[in-house]
Amino acid sequence: MPTNRRRVTLKDVAARAGVSPMTASYAFTRPARVAADTRDRVHRAASELGYRPDAVGRALKSGRTHQIGVVFSEHLAYAFDDPQAAQFLAGVAEVCVEEGQGLTFIPTRGDAADAGRVLSAAVDGFVLWTTAQDDPVLAAVAGDPRPAVIQGGPPRQGIVCVTQDDYRAALAVASQGLREGRTPVVISFPLDRDRERMVTIGAELPSHAPFPVTDARLRGYRAAIEQAGLSWRSTPIAVVARNTQRDGVEAARDLAPQLTPDALIIAMSDELALGARQALLETHPEAAYLGWDASPAGRQLGITSVTNPLRDQGRRCARAALDPGRPGDQEIPWSIVSGGGACT
Amino acid sequence: MPTNRRRVTLKDVAARAGVSPMTASYAFTRPARVAADTRDRVHRAASELGYRPDAVGRALKSGRTHQIGVVFSEHLAYAFDDPQAAQFLAGVAEVCVEEGQGLTFIPTRGDAADAGRVLSAAVDGFVLWTTAQDDPVLAAVAGDPRPAVIQGGPPRQGIVCVTQDDYRAALAVASQGLREGRTPVVISFPLDRDRERMVTIGAELPSHAPFPVTDARLRGYRAAIEQAGLSWRSTPIAVVARNTQRDGVEAARDLAPQLTPDALIIAMSDELALGARQALLETHPEAAYLGWDASPAGRQLGITSVTNPLRDQGRRCARAALDPGRPGDQEIPWSIVSGGGACT
DNA sequence: CTGTTAGCGCTTTCAA
DNA sequence: TTGAAAGCGCTAACAG
């Protein structure tokens, strides 16, 4: 039983090196402030003892945890099922590694205690993933002095926003798809936090969806459809629970009874479009598909899509969350890609 | 400027409620220990002041951070590019939510400072993703008193292991694939931590790969090939850098010159097999594919695969990391799935 | 049921 | 260049 189970503390190191705890501390945090031989003695003592600085003690005194807190305002595990969320996280993670910061996921479960959990987290700043207007976590974070950044909105005083102009992009991509005179149907992200799968029509839709991204895209699709002289009110709309191919398959099955052979499937993601395509390949070989995110798989299968560089947005969010200067909102440019070419 | 920027502390709450800090503390942590009206007074004072318990102060005193640390012993951002890793993380996250624990990613970049970063992290236990035998992080974590669990090995004193019997599974799946008399080639995960893409043959392979999963699967494939009366030494082997479809495409292109029309592509994941299939669909329509992980997409395209429930493994790892009792190693059962049916 | 004491591990401030 | 004092926010252990 060689190892001593008690934590090795800075005081132990100082004692062994024959210096005060302060000198030992400086030997690690400000090596230049300490005489070379003293510093070496401290370092030697530390490695002999197996000393590691304790992040908690350090954080308490210094007030900085060197952690970025990431919040997905719904069940945390969903974050890993959505490939777009994964891309976003990869971007956040890249910056964390570059800046020597840790990455803490703040667990949320959609209940009333979420706001408290978020505010109590031992992090220096917050990165939030798109959420609903009325999400209480938003209000909580907005009132916290730590920097906070949100991808996809909603915009809010006290929270920096990194977004695309989803309305214009949706209008543009749908308009392009409708040029061929096809009959549109829409596959939409959830309309509320219940995430209930359903089929409806434009006329039945609430005037505003609480998720700003979903809301803006729906408005864009609507404008495109009406500008094409078609009826939004009677356009079939499938609402999915999550952004997965599986949900795209289900949505397509739900829509199938109302589908014309020349249907234009307007989906809010390539993921959903790919699922729909797979479900309809045999029954509706002439259908066309619009997606979002410009995934390689989507491009390969001829899905027209909107670029949405989420990895880059993850990077921007992380950088902003690290910057106590509260930089301004950022709008990410987009373009439409179809079958290999890009325009606008 | 209404809000006071100074942090609201428990002492402030106590003062306002006219009680001692200890009573205020108990009002939050052990409500039952405090008289109902006192408790209410404290809670009211807290919400009026906007008080939130500080996780750092709490952790320092109690010695528990309520955080699980997840370590991917290479550049952190890679974790989000590998769909299998994402599944694993989803499992870990589920348990964190259930148990009210936080999830901290410990940033690593594959350099010498990783071990220190890991040990200094403010977490109560560690979950590691498969790594190499000689990874210094392993030794560091094994010597730490906090519980540690690793998915995929290597096994090590002081670290709980959650694994499959990759050797037997690889032997079984390759044997089944070789029944039809096809000529095998292998697409392998990296052989070392450099992750260099290359093509080689069995004869050139080092006798042991430092990644235990890769090593066991290669040995299984080899046994199957030799049992089928074929030459392992001359079997072409493509080594990829990462587990993505894209890498599968590249591997297939690298192997193409050596491919017979009846080739059996033995890949270490469905992801790689799907990439290879896509690359070879036109030039080698008769090829057959073996994968791993039993993904829905793989099954749909007729890839024979091994089940590898990583979400479940993530759950098991998280539970074990939370349990200071250091439960024993766990072996996950597997089965082979092909074209929709499952056997053994 | 409530309060006092003490101190977790570290570092800021100031003095030597 | 080094050290002493003080305390970050909280809670275990014990008294009252």
Side-chain angles (χ1 to χ4, degrees), chain B residues 20 22-23 33-35 38 60-61:
Chain B
S20 80
M22 263 332 296
T23 304
R33 259 200 63 162
V34 170
T38 317
L60 183 59
K61 181 65 198 182

Side-chain angles (χ1 to χ4, degrees), chain A residues 34-341:
Chain A
V34 171
D37 56 336
T38 317
R39 191 196 325 139
D40 291 348
R41 224 164 352 115
V42 171
H43 286 157
R44 205 169 331 112
S47 75
E48 284 162 6
L49 259 32
Y51 167 77
R52 294 294 165 186
D54 180 88
V56 177
R58 194 171 263 187
L60 184 60
K61 183 64 198 179
S62 67
R64 309 211 54 222
T65 61
H66 300 284
Q67 296 278 334
I68 293 183
V70 174
V71 186
F72 284 80
S73 285
E74 57 189 321
H75 195 296
L76 175 56
Y78 294 177
F80 301 102
D81 289 326
D82 180 343
Q84 292 306 117
Q87 276 304 299
F88 178 75
L89 287 173
V92 175
E94 281 176 4
V95 172
C96 286
V97 169
E98 288 164 15
E99 302 298 327
Q101 307 291 304
L103 179 48
T104 294
F105 278 86
I106 302 175
T108 52
R109 43 212 310 187
D111 63 24
D114 280 347
R117 267 192 284 270
V118 169
L119 292 183
S120 280
V123 301
D124 295 336
F126 298 100
V127 170
L128 317 195
W129 179 250
T130 330
T131 186
Q133 289 280 4
D134 61 351
D135 187 338
V137 168
L138 271 184
V141 165
D144 192 277
R146 290 169 281 188
V149 194
I150 190 164
Q151 188 285 137
R156 181 156 197 143
Q157 179 73 252
I159 304 182
V160 172
C161 242
V162 173
T163 47
Q164 285 192 320
D165 186 339
D166 285 276
Y167 170 77
R168 279 184 192 288
L171 172 58
V173 71
S175 295
Q176 177 171 327
L178 288 166
R179 271 196 221 131
E180 300 169 21
R182 291 174 177 272
T183 310
V185 302
V186 171
I187 303 181
S188 169
F189 288 157
L191 298 180
D192 55 43
R193 302 183 72 202
D194 293 342
R195 306 192 154 248
E196 195 194 347
R197 168 185 169 191
M198 58 183 238
V199 181
T200 179
I201 52 171
E204 303 286 336
L205 233 46
S207 62
H208 281 289
F211 293 103
V213 169
T214 306
D215 188 57
R217 293 189 191 172
L218 282 176
R219 286 188 290 107
Y221 294 154
R222 173 182 189 159
I225 286 171
E226 293 182 337
Q227 284 173 21
L230 301 169
S231 158
W232 169 253
R233 296 182 57 78
S234 61
T235 300
I237 300 174
V239 179
V240 301
R242 313 258 293 280
N243 181 26
T244 67
Q245 284 196 32
R246 188 193 183 76
D247 285 71
V249 169
E250 291 170 353
R253 294 207 181 119
D254 291 346
L255 287 171
Q258 320 190 43
L259 246 39
T260 56
D262 73 333
L264 176 69
I265 319 286
I266 307 179
M268 285 199 191
S269 75
D270 283 9
E271 210 64 23
L272 294 173
L274 287 166
R277 180 179 175 279
Q278 185 191 301
L280 301 175
L281 212 48
E282 310 216 323
T283 56
H284 296 74
E286 301 298 321
Y289 300 85
L290 264 32
W292 205 291
D293 304 322
S295 68
R299 173 182 289 218
Q300 206 158 57
L301 297 176
I303 289 170
T304 296
S305 193
V306 178
T307 59
N308 187 18
L310 277 162
R311 194 171 192 121
D312 176 57
Q313 293 181 54
R315 294 187 59 94
R316 287 165 188 267
C317 286
R319 291 230 171 272
L322 249 24
D323 181 356
R326 300 234 176 197
D329 294 354
Q330 301 187 42
E331 194 173 307
I332 308 297
W334 51 269
S335 63
I336 295 177
V337 299
S338 35

